[in-house]
Amino acid sequence: MRTELSIVAAPGRLPRIDAVGGLAGRHTGLDTVHLIGTAATPLGGDELDITIVVRPGARLVVRSVAATIALPGADTVVSTAHWRFEVGEGAELDFDPEPTIVAGGAHHHAVTTVQVAPDARLRLRERVQVGRSGEDGGGWRGDLLADLGTVPWLRHRLELGAFSPTDDRLSAARALDSELVYPDDRPAWSGGVDEVRLPLAAGGSLATRTGGRLRPLAIAVG
């Protein structure tokens, strides 16, 4: 299955949503969209193509109603997702969906490209868990390519799971929590060998945490 989803936010109106395939979007606020699965995807062989554009001066918050489950297909175990983000001048994007769960035996490849104006604001979070309870197989690869205006900003690749470079006797990471933030002038920080936040040369920061399992999110009270 091929899934195409486009979300375009502009000042003074609800975001425009166009969707074909197994993923859709629903307005849940004036500037908020929730992603909703409409079919079992991604299965092995599936391709997801998602574009999110925030026009100059607009604000967009993107969440999802449930985790994404990547499953092996009948003919191949590999599925792919292409995420494209464009944040215009004076715009703001807060992207924080539920995790991607890669079931045992499946392999999912996510390619994310980001174009951000120098005076925009961005929070882009990605959480991944390889293997459901009791599963040890499966794999995930994520490529993140971000530009700030005309300046190359970040080129980052990480692999998790079976047969990846990180799957050895020193480490067998199966989970990732990653957050790209701009602007951000906080200094570098490390919570140990598997948790770090690093300033980027052109501004902003990239924080990553790897481990065996994703940490549960704190629940706000009051």
Side-chain angles (χ1 to χ4, degrees), residues 6-99:
S6 171
I7 302 172
V8 180
R13 64 171 176 83
L14 289 174
R16 176 177 174 176
I17 303 171
D18 296 294
V20 176
L23 189 64
R26 297 290 183 270
H27 299 110
T28 52
L30 180 62
D31 55 10
T32 303
V33 172
H34 272 72
L35 306 179
I36 299 174
T38 58
T41 191
L43 302 177
D46 285 1
E47 296 182 9
L48 287 74
D49 195 335
I50 301 101
T51 300
I52 297 177
V53 178
V54 189
R55 300 293 189 200
R59 180 177 185 269
L60 178 64
V61 176
V62 179
R63 301 290 186 263
S64 63
V65 299
T68 297
I69 310 295
L71 297 165
D75 299 320
T76 178
V77 299
V78 180
S79 57
T80 59
H82 297 269
W83 294 83
R84 298 175 180 86
F85 297 91
E86 181 181 331
V87 189
E89 296 178 358
E92 180 179 356
L93 172 63
D94 184 345
F95 181 83
D96 189 357
E98 296 298 310

Side-chain angles (χ1 to χ4, degrees), residues 199-220:
L200 302 176
S205 68
L206 176 68
T208 57
R209 177 190 178 273
T210 58
R213 307 296 296 179
L214 284 172
R215 291 177 180 174
L217 297 180
I219 300 175

